[in-house]
Amino acid sequence: MREWDTCKAIRGIWHVPAARALVAAILAVMSSGSSSFAGSGDPAAGEKLYGNCKTCHEIGEGAHNKVGPHLDGIIGRKAASIEGFRYSGAMEKAATEGLVWSVENLDAYLQKPREFIPGNRMSFRGMSKEKDRADLIAWLQSMARAAPAADPARIEPDTHGPAREFTDIVLAMEGDRDYGEYLGSECVTCHQITGQVEGIPSIVGVPRDYFIRSLFEYKTNVRRNEVMKLRVANLGNEEIAALAEYFSSLEPQ
Amino acid sequence: MTKLTRRQFALVMGAGTATLAMPTYLRAQDKPRVVVIGGGAGGATAARYIAKDSEGAIDVTLIDSADNFTTCFFSNLYLGGYRDFASITHSYETLESNYGIKKVTGWAVGVDRDARMVSMADGSKIPYDRLVVSPGIDLVWDSVPGYSEEAAEIAPHAWKAGPQTQLLKAKLDAIENGQQIVMVAPPNPYRCPPGPYERVSMMAHVLKSKGVDAKIIIIDPKDKFSKQGLFQEGWQKHYTGMVEWYGPDVHGGIKGIDVNAGTVETDLDTFKGALLNVIPAQRAGRIAQEAGLTNDSGFCPIDAGSMRSTADENIFVIGDASIAGAMPKSGFSANSQAKVAAMNVRGDLLKSKVFPAKYSNTCWSLIETDDGVKVGAQYAPAEGKIAATTTFISQTGEDAALRKATYEESVGWYAGITADMFG
Ligand SMILES: Cc1cc2nc3c(=O)[nH]c(=O)nc-3n(C[C@H](O)[C@H](O)[C@H](O)COP(=O)(O)OP(=O)(O)OC[C@H]3O[C@@H](n4cnc5c(N)ncnc54)[C@H](O)[C@@H]3O)c2cc1C
């Protein structure tokens, strides 16, 4: 477990900027060597855990970018390197400092995404169980040979359709956060306010554009889920703007 | 590392900091007091939202008879072996430590509405400015002749979760080849309309997966039931020949039961079971009646726009105990009503903004592994009642992937609602 310990130590200094470039370089080197705990995960179990990720990340043949970048070949991939995806400033910065995803640093990232790269945009609270992370990473690795889409920038099924037009209208509106908080109390019966994901995707900290468009996609049957369709059926533009304002202002805990 | 939000900060710092920011009329000792009776789906949610959203400006006391709460929701999955008992049992600790809610363990036995005081079984009294009543249901034992609280030790109802649920599970697990289970289903209105039929599905699942050749008979006082088409399709598909349902036009009426003999007598025939699961008629939890909040139906009329009792403007009644129009008695409904009540309580006491009421419900049921179905609706006040605005129900013949996704969604909902109740 030597590398694992190194990794923990590294995590501690990750946000000391001067240390980052060096650390990232070490991590990049480490990723090329074989790791003591790589391969110890169970990809089948990992596939199940991936259910937590798949609302935002595609992987496998023909994968596109969604809310998050596609994850094809993530191990060994330079951070923030998928063209056509808008990364957070924090992630871009980590990339310029040399972060390359390896089994070890991905493990550290997945444990506490907000601490490993403060200010990154992934709305996921983290996975506390070491075995879960090993399983998930094993699955991500097992998927590495499937080819992503030639043009990974997501081809939105409804780029010019009604959902897009309504989204633009609501995006231009100012949402009432307090009203959004009240309306949102209905959402958090299932979508946990902490950002914890257990079978239902997180909506905490989701960008306004994406949030608004998603609701319109339920209204227009681009996305299909009866519960969501029901919940959005009676929401007008003002309500959607308020909800987007509220949820985009939150951070996962 | 973790940044505290303004709200969390106020909660951590407790009354001290909050007081500084508060108008003088709300300082320290004269903080308004809210008492919540019942720490279940409705009460725990109401207490948490009032405490959280008032940021320490309201003193919240939560009364429940027990130290922790076992949910009825997912108790059928415990019967079916999908969950263990610990996973459906929750403590009030976070509500106390993170939200500053005072938890009182004991029975509330009376409410003096003039003095605005709740009396407890141990003789103590708890004053309130606003009272939220969410005691759930009481069972009307004599609605099934021959049934009683003592008889429930032999023929469990398991319609309140706890030892009854464990007793039912033990008896289910002991069923052997050639034996029979008889369920006496409840008349309307009762908590969780699809609950009895989900339970039968879970019982059949246990028998089938152990290879036990046994039948389940349902004697129902109703001539139809929630998600009937979906359940009957599922029973036919997964448990062929194992489940028989008799409505009143077949059995002709339930005359009585004998729990020692293990018999249910109807006009048609006497049914014998090695296990009787008797779910009697229901009414609002007794404290609602003691407080004079019920009407002839045994439940509590409320104002559809606020969940305020029509009998007393200082009291809100939520959850199973309330007459909530078209909303079914469910944990989801209770949680939804709690948020409307909490907002109105704050509006009353802190003059905070009150938005128009909206309510929602979804009830998921599991028929067999990865075969989940759901029914749901949105509600709003209309002509003095809570009325459905949009509804949906799963369809028969849906594909396996959709049914699996529905089940997974229910698991997410359970994690979500329990976090929303208990913090
Ligand atoms: C088998 C079964 C399955 C179910 N499945 C689902 C489901 O899948 N989804 C769903 O949404 N709903 C489901 N329900 C329904 C759900 O459990 C209830 O509708 C919900 O719990 C109602 O909430 P409540 O706050 O009204 O009452 P409860 O949750 O019952 O809470 C009331 C609490 O108050 C306490 N109490 C009562 N009187 C006093 C007093 N005088 N002093 C102190 N404490 C008191 C009680 O002991 C209890 O702890 C199910 C119910 C059953 C029986």
Side-chain angles (χ1 to χ4, degrees):
Chain A
M1 288 316 251
R2 188 182 47 81
E3 281 163 339
W4 167 238
D5 290 335
T6 320
C7 192
K8 274 203 281 199
I10 289 168
R11 212 173 64 231
I13 55 167
W14 179 250
H15 24 263
V16 180
R20 278 203 207 164
L22 174 66
V23 165
I26 297 171
L27 290 175
V29 172
M30 275 167 55
S31 73
S32 54
S34 79
S35 150
S36 54
F37 96 117
S40 67
D42 167 10
E47 182 173 3
K48 283 205 180 133
L49 292 163
Y50 185 70
N52 291 323
C53 323
K54 71 180 179 200
T55 3
C56 301
H57 294 284
E58 288 190 351
I59 191 164
E61 215 182 309
H64 287 107
N65 297 329
K66 287 172 88 181
V67 180
H70 78 69
L71 297 179
D72 268 299
I74 183 69
I75 302 297
R77 192 166 101 186
K78 196 169 179 303
S81 62
I82 299 297
E83 247 175 76
F85 186 78
R86 252 186 63 230
Y87 290 92
S88 62
M91 188 61 82
E92 300 241 340
K93 188 148 177 281
T96 49
E97 285 160 2
L99 178 66
V100 175
W101 291 115
S102 67
V103 170
E104 291 78 11
N105 60 26
L106 192 56
D107 176 82
Y109 181 56
L110 288 174
Q111 188 179 8
K112 285 197 174 155
R114 296 265 149 179
E115 283 187 22
F116 191 71
I117 303 180
N120 90 82
R121 218 184 274 134
M122 182 161 80
S123 117
F124 180 58
R125 185 192 200 213
M127 266 183 172
S128 56
K129 290 201 192 106
E130 186 174 342
K131 175 160 185 323
D132 285 353
R133 298 192 304 271
D135 290 346
L136 178 61
I137 291 171
W139 192 71
L140 293 175
Q141 273 184 305
S142 77
M143 294 297 290
R145 275 178 297 275
D151 170 16
R154 180 145 185 89
I155 301 151
E156 289 296 343
D158 199 24
T159 326
H160 304 294
R164 182 69 256 172
E165 283 166 29
F166 284 121
T167 302
D168 289 339
I169 294 171
V170 175
L171 259 178
M173 293 169 61
E174 206 170 302
D176 174 346
R177 191 181 179 281
D178 286 347
Y179 189 32
E181 180 169 11
Y182 166 63
L183 294 171
S185 68
E186 181 172 304
C187 312
V188 300
T189 300
C190 298
H191 301 274
Q192 297 183 41
I193 195 76
T194 51
Q196 175 92 20
V197 173
E198 285 168 82
I200 288 187
S202 169
I203 54 173
V204 169
V206 167
R208 272 176 78 228
D209 183 349
Y210 184 80
F211 187 97
I212 296 169
R213 197 177 63 228
S214 302
L215 293 195
F216 281 112
E217 286 175 351
Y218 285 115
K219 273 185 184 271
T220 54
N221 283 328
V222 173
R223 286 172 182 247
R224 286 179 190 275
N225 177 298
E226 288 300 331
V227 177
M228 281 308 299
K229 192 173 173 191
L230 184 73
R231 301 293 176 247
V232 301
N234 300 324
L235 295 178
N237 290 354
E238 190 193 338
E239 276 89 9
I240 292 179
L243 283 166
E245 187 64 36
Y246 174 62
F247 282 108
S248 65
S249 75
L250 300 177
E251 272 188 27
Q253 288 159 33
Chain B
M1 275 314 297
T2 9
K3 270 190 282 153
L4 288 177
T5 62
R6 183 174 52 97
R7 169 161 304 159
Q8 283 166 329
F9 183 72
L11 288 169
V12 172
M13 297 311 286
T17 320
T19 317
L20 295 175
M22 240 189 281
T24 39
Y25 67 90
L26 291 176
R27 285 257 167 88
Q29 65 279 15
D30 48 39
K31 260 204 233 177
R33 291 155 307 188
V34 172
V35 173
V36 180
I37 301 179
T45 308
R48 180 168 166 269
Y49 272 76
I50 295 167
K52 172 171 83 71
D53 294 340
S54 67
E55 302 180 9
I58 295 177
D59 209 65
V60 183
T61 302
L62 176 61
I63 302 171
D64 192 275
S65 54
D67 276 334
N68 48 42
F69 183 78
T70 303
T71 59
C72 276
F73 26 110
F74 272 30
S75 69
N76 285 331
L77 272 64
Y78 159 73
L79 281 185
Y82 295 92
R83 304 285 290 223
D84 61 22
F85 199 71
S87 78
I88 58 167
T89 302
H90 305 267
S91 103
Y92 296 105
E93 268 165 32
T94 310
L95 291 183
E96 296 184 83
S97 62
N98 291 13
Y99 297 89
I101 293 167
K102 184 164 175 232
K103 166 72 189 351
V104 173
T105 303
W107 286 98
V109 291
V111 178
D112 181 339
R113 284 165 34 189
D114 294 328
R116 285 194 258 162
M117 198 82 84
V118 176
S119 2
M120 300 295 294
D122 66 4
S124 59
K125 298 205 183 306
I126 308 175
Y128 65 82
D129 295 302
R130 289 294 179 278
L131 177 67
V132 178
V133 177
S134 190
I137 49 137
D138 262 13
L139 299 167
V140 184
W141 301 106
D142 58 10
S143 66
V144 180
Y147 200 50
S148 64
E149 199 164 357
E150 299 75 59
E153 295 304 317
I154 299 167
H157 52 80
W159 220 241
K160 293 184 179 192
Q164 276 280 309
T165 322
Q166 289 170 305
L167 179 63
L168 181 61
K169 169 106 179 118
K171 288 187 177 258
L172 168 65
D173 289 345
I175 294 291
E176 295 171 357
N177 276 334
Q179 290 185 324
Q180 191 160 278
I181 298 172
V182 183
M183 169 186 278
V184 177
N188 289 322
Y190 62 97
R191 67 164 35 159
C192 197
Y197 314 98
E198 179 185 56
R199 176 175 287 177
V200 165
S201 309
M202 293 296 94
M203 287 172 161
H205 164 79
V206 168
L207 299 174
K208 181 186 161 191
S209 46
K210 290 200 300 187
V212 175
D213 177 18
K215 259 204 178 123
I216 307 167
I217 310 277
I218 309 165
I219 307 294
D220 210 321
K222 306 180 292 297
D223 54 17
K224 58 182 197 297
F225 60 87
S226 170
K227 301 181 190 165
Q228 183 161 354
L230 295 167
F231 280 116
Q232 289 184 327
E233 177 195 53
W235 294 340
Q236 179 64 35
K237 179 175 170 198
H238 304 297
Y239 314 117
T240 321
M242 288 177 71
V243 180
E244 286 172 17
W245 177 78
Y246 295 103
D249 53 348
V250 178
H251 63 67
I254 302 164
K255 289 180 151 167
I257 62 165
D258 182 336
V259 295
N260 293 308
T263 53
V264 177
E265 196 192 337
T266 69
D267 261 356
L268 173 73
D269 204 351
T270 297
F271 296 87
K272 193 160 170 44
L275 163 56
L276 302 188
N277 176 203
V278 181
I279 310 167
Q282 292 154 36
R283 63 174 167 233
R286 178 162 172 190
I287 187 70
Q289 204 177 329
E290 299 291 334
L293 303 170
T294 51
N295 68 12
D296 290 346
S297 71
F299 292 96
C300 307
I302 47 92
D303 163 51
S306 61
M307 299 306 295
R308 198 185 297 274
S309 165
T310 53
D312 189 326
E313 61 178 16
N314 298 319
I315 301 181
F316 294 78
V317 185
I318 57 176
D320 292 351
S322 66
I323 302 175
M327 295 184 83
K329 297 188 186 303
S330 74
F332 200 122
S333 295
N335 170 272
S336 171
Q337 293 156 6
K339 291 163 186 173
V340 171
M343 175 180 62
N344 279 278
V345 164
R346 284 191 301 117
D348 282 9
L349 300 176
L350 303 177
K351 305 282 170 275
S352 61
K353 189 158 180 193
V354 175
F355 296 102
K358 283 179 84 214
Y359 305 94
S360 57
N361 178 60
T362 303
C363 286
W364 287 267
S365 303
L366 185 60
I367 301 178
E368 168 61 301
T369 305
D370 289 337
D371 190 359
V373 292
K374 56 189 174 183
V375 56
Q378 291 292 110
Y379 305 86
E383 291 161 17
K385 290 203 172 78
I386 300 180
T389 53
T390 342
T391 61
F392 79 86
I393 180 164
S394 295
Q395 301 300 303
T396 51
E398 285 172 345
D399 66 36
L402 179 56
R403 291 295 178 89
K404 183 165 188 273
T406 301
Y407 168 64
E408 283 166 2
E409 193 174 86
S410 75
V411 173
W413 162 76
Y414 186 86
I417 192 173
T418 49
D420 203 32
M421 290 161 63
F422 299 106

